[in-house]
Amino acid sequence: MASAIFSDCSSSATARVFTFNKIRTGIFHLRQSSAIVSCRPRNPSFGVLSTQRRSSYSTAVAMSLNTETSVKVIDGKAVAKQIKDEIKIEVLKMKDAIGVVPGLAVILVGDRKDSATYVRNKKKACEAVGITSYEICLPEDSTEEDVLKHIADYNENSKVHGILIQLPLPRHMDEARILNAVSIDKDVDGFHPLNIGLLAKRDREPFFVSCTPKGCIELLHRYGITIKGKRAVIIGRSNIVGLPVSLLLQREDATITIVHSRTENPEEIVRQADIIVSAAGKANMVRGSWIKPGAVIIDVGINPIDDPESPRGYRLVGDVCYDEACKVASAITPVPGGVGPMTIAMLLSNTLSSAKRALKFE
């Protein structure tokens, strides 16, 4: 049956690291400042680029148009670069004004190569924008108490404004217990249950929104894609992407439907969508026949498929069959180069937002 042809990204352990099934993506969360204006006036914590800088960015957007078809390619790599440039400027302003820069702490347990690579990339990104990075690498056989002790230390450290626990954790550890130990006002990954709960309430604002979902919405904003009143279908219901994306789209006044592994006739539901966000982790699952003409596609999936012509023997594709979707959609994120590059940039901007809030710096 068609309803059983994909699996949800339901575990943060599989969705948080590059395992050739998925890649963690990012999110932008800057508080309003002199160089940044809110993309939604009623919600200043969901910041975007200034009007002036967004205007300069329009040239890059225009250059992303696909010359072979009418589809607009949503260039996440260019957006991520612009955000990092903005962050660097804001960090310099903070340093010049009060002599303090944001700090991001990462705790890595075990010796997974993919996790270690991701941590190294975070460190390089911090250095590039002027954020101080702190790193704790613990052996695989560490106890939960070892990890909790370091979290407690970072919670109390005024120089640390964001704490990230690199997932997956070793199997003997209680992931929920460890993630919940991170102070809510330093939870730059947005995984604390209080942050998720605040996101779910219409009249409240979370300290942070988890990175991938906010990145998806930010791409829609930056490309001027209307969300209000549109029908959005989210494929996948994970705590990492599917659920938070659905909540964010509701905040934007979209009508949302979630398709998951138990959904009957998912292609019929997807075909009604004006906006499709796919985070199922199944290569080329969404075919061109699933897509309504003119729909906008945000493809979070990243999956390996065999490719003898590639030096690596494989290449990465999304959940959406790109070649077919390009002939039907009005805009689409490529894989790679779409949602993926937003990951660390959004994490950095969450850290900057946290520092500004803690230091009361505007």
Side-chain angles (χ1 to χ4, degrees):
M1 180 179 292
S3 61
I5 62 174
F6 68 91
S7 59
D8 300 325
C9 307
S10 58
S11 167
S12 61
T14 58
R16 289 288 310 284
V17 295
F18 187 95
T19 61
F20 299 120
N21 287 319
K22 305 171 188 70
I23 190 167
R24 184 173 173 277
T25 54
I27 200 161
F28 184 57
H29 183 88
L30 278 177
R31 288 173 63 89
Q32 185 171 335
S33 71
S34 59
I36 301 172
V37 297
S38 174
C39 59
R40 300 173 64 217
R42 57 180 173 164
N43 188 359
S45 68
F46 294 165
V48 295
L49 290 180
S50 65
T51 303
Q52 179 180 1
R53 283 168 179 151
R54 189 191 298 171
S55 176
S56 67
Y57 180 72
S58 62
T59 301
V61 172
M63 291 176 64
S64 71
L65 289 174
N66 189 319
T67 58
E68 296 182 359
T69 70
S70 60
V71 70
K72 180 183 293 184
V73 179
I74 299 174
D75 189 346
K77 186 176 181 180
V79 172
K81 181 182 184 303
Q82 186 75 17
I83 291 169
K84 289 178 182 178
D85 290 343
E86 284 287 329
I87 292 169
K88 186 174 182 178
I89 291 171
E90 293 299 303
V91 170
L92 285 172
K93 286 182 180 178
M94 179 179 291
K95 184 177 181 179
D96 290 343
I98 61 176
V100 179
V101 299
L104 173 64
V106 179
I107 298 177
L108 172 65
V109 185
D111 56 359
R112 287 178 61 112
K113 291 183 179 180
D114 49 5
S115 294
T117 297
Y118 193 57
V119 169
R120 284 197 301 272
N121 289 340
K122 290 191 185 86
K123 185 175 182 179
K124 290 179 182 178
C126 284
E127 292 173 352
V129 301
I131 290 177
T132 302
S133 63
Y134 302 86
E135 180 183 325
I136 293 292
C137 297
L138 300 174
E140 181 82 15
D141 59 356
S142 298
T143 66
E144 286 185 18
E145 285 65 31
D146 292 332
V147 179
L148 292 171
K149 179 183 181 301
H150 288 291
I151 293 174
D153 289 343
Y154 283 140
N155 281 339
E156 296 299 321
N157 189 337
S158 62
K159 294 182 179 180
V160 173
H161 305 100
I163 302 171
L164 183 145
I165 311 300
Q166 183 65 45
L167 299 182
L169 291 166
R171 292 186 178 182
H172 66 276
M173 292 188 177
D174 184 340
E175 181 179 296
R177 181 189 180 201
I178 289 173
L179 292 178
N180 292 353
V182 176
S183 175
I184 188 174
D185 57 359
K186 295 187 179 185
D187 173 41
V188 289
D189 248 349
F191 291 155
H192 195 287
L194 289 178
N195 273 322
I196 296 294
L198 290 169
L199 179 63
K201 293 178 69 66
R202 288 179 57 85
D203 58 342
R204 301 294 295 275
E205 302 298 340
F207 284 85
F208 306 100
V209 177
S210 54
C211 297
T212 303
K214 185 60 171 68
C216 295
I217 303 301
E218 188 64 25
L219 288 174
L220 294 173
H221 286 164
R222 290 173 184 272
Y223 275 78
I225 294 167
T226 300
I227 303 175
K228 184 177 181 179
K230 300 300 183 180
R231 181 159 190 178
V233 172
I234 301 94
I235 305 175
R237 54 180 171 177
S238 71
N239 291 330
I240 304 297
V241 182
L243 175 61
V245 162
S246 70
L247 295 173
L248 286 169
L249 287 167
Q250 284 188 103
R251 282 175 172 252
E252 299 278 342
D253 296 320
T255 300
I256 65 107
T257 302
I258 298 177
V259 169
H260 51 79
S261 58
R262 300 296 184 265
T263 301
E264 296 182 359
N265 302 315
E267 59 269 44
E268 294 182 9
I269 298 173
V270 174
R271 199 176 295 121
Q272 300 174 44
D274 302 303
I275 300 171
I276 300 168
V277 180
S278 184
K282 180 71 174 180
N284 294 324
M285 179 192 72
V286 179
R287 314 301 300 193
S289 61
W290 291 35
I291 302 167
K292 181 171 74 173
V296 174
I297 300 171
I298 304 295
D299 193 349
V300 182
I302 184 162
N303 315 283
I305 61 172
D306 293 336
D307 184 357
E309 296 182 3
S310 170
R312 297 177 294 181
Y314 67 90
R315 59 188 174 89
L316 299 175
V317 299
D319 293 344
V320 180
C321 183
Y322 188 85
D323 291 342
E324 294 179 9
C326 282
K327 299 174 182 178
V328 186
S330 63
I332 186 172
T333 57
V335 177
V339 177
M342 300 289 283
T343 308
I344 294 177
M346 300 304 96
L347 175 65
L348 298 179
S349 59
N350 269 358
T351 304
L352 174 59
S353 174
S354 179
K356 285 185 173 184
R357 181 164 49 234
L359 298 167
K360 296 180 173 58
F361 180 80
E362 296 294 338

